[in-house]
Amino acid sequence: MTALAEAPPLVEATGVSIRYDGVEVLRDVTLSLRPGEIVTLVGPNGSGKTSLARALAGALRPSAGRVRRRPGLRLGYVPQTLALDRTLPMTVDRFLALAGERDRAVREAALERTGAPGLGPRQLSELSGGQFQRTLLAHALLRRPELLVLDEPTTGLDQPGASAFYRLVAELRDELGCAVLMVSHDLHVVMSASDRVICLNGHVCCEGTPTVVAAAPEYRALFGFGTGGALALYRHQHDHGHDHDPAHGHDHPHDHGPQGQGAGPG
């Protein structure tokens, strides 16, 4: 980890704030991502996770602050949802070709590496949830990314499928030496697959190694366990030295209840 800490950052955010229709969903975030590290963003829906990931990837312009990316940075992005009608007649191979890779053998190798060999001739509409996610990951890998951004990549997968997917991501990080930025509600990711965790609730509540963050009162106030070990996310009151500004949604200590994965800007 010492070498990682000394490596020049791939991406740096300084004082980043993001607004939608005049409503601030994220404020004053400063962070950096370095080669080889896996960083996970956690927090309730509406806490700014997806917005921050998109800003770091260059898909969203911050309302304030600045994001610097290393010149020529190669980035692979796996979105939470894909604006593609899966009922349209499109094979997996044709979809992968949209990444700009002309060599079919290379495209087939990407599918094999992500655990989806032989899917090239299949229609996207025929794929299971796990096969579709692995196809999206293969598409991202064809860009030979130095930074891989994954936004809730295991939505819809069962626990074994999600665990296998995250093990694959860790293997790819080791092979490629790329940085990985993940948005996730999955505690398994936070504790097992991350080098660093950043906990958001409209701003950075706490950050550090998984062990440090898991022990932080801010993190424990956000995450609760429901029946069967399911993870529930809760809004919490910021009692750790931040100003309580109702306009920023910081004075709602009891907005309890699991936050659905599809509600509001994440």
Side-chain angles (χ1 to χ4, degrees), residues 75 90 92 100 126 238 246:
L75 188 143
M90 178 177 288
V92 169
E126 298 174 352
H238 297 275

Side-chain angles (χ1 to χ4, degrees), residues 93-94 96-111 142 144:
D93 185 64
R94 183 181 175 191
L96 294 182
L98 296 177
E101 177 55 62
R102 297 182 178 181
D103 190 333
R104 176 172 290 180
V106 174
R107 300 195 298 266
E108 291 175 350
L111 284 172
L142 287 171
R144 298 167 181 82

Side-chain angles (χ1 to χ4, degrees), residues 102-238:
R102 297 182 178 181
D103 190 333
R104 176 172 290 180
V106 174
R107 300 195 298 266
E108 291 175 350
L111 284 172
E112 184 169 355
R113 184 59 197 92
T114 60
L119 288 185
R122 296 273 298 278
Q123 293 290 323
L124 288 177
S125 59
E126 298 174 352
L127 302 183
S128 68
Q131 289 171 333
F132 190 65
Q133 290 305 104
R134 288 170 184 266
T135 296
L136 291 177
L137 182 57
H139 184 277
L141 291 184
L142 287 171
R143 300 181 62 86
R144 298 167 181 82
E146 297 167 291
L147 172 60
L148 184 60
V149 180
L150 308 173
D151 187 359
E152 297 282 7
T154 60
T155 298
L157 301 187
D158 59 18
Q159 185 173 350
S163 297
F165 187 90
Y166 289 128
R167 284 195 299 271
L168 172 61
V169 169
E171 291 172 5
L172 293 171
R173 183 275 307 264
D174 293 340
E175 292 173 12
L176 302 174
C178 63
V180 178
L181 176 68
M182 291 193 286
V183 175
S184 183
H185 286 110
D186 195 333
L187 187 60
H188 170 77
V189 179
V190 175
M191 299 309 298
S192 300
S194 303
D195 298 311
R196 185 156 52 103
V197 177
I198 299 173
C199 188
L200 299 175
N201 195 19
H203 67 293
V204 176
C205 296
C206 52
E207 63 179 307
T209 65
T211 301
V212 169
V213 170
E218 299 88 353
Y219 176 86
R220 293 188 175 189
L222 273 174
F223 288 84
F225 291 97
T227 58
L231 187 65
L233 300 178
Y234 299 87
R235 288 291 188 183
H236 75 300
Q237 183 171 359
H238 297 275

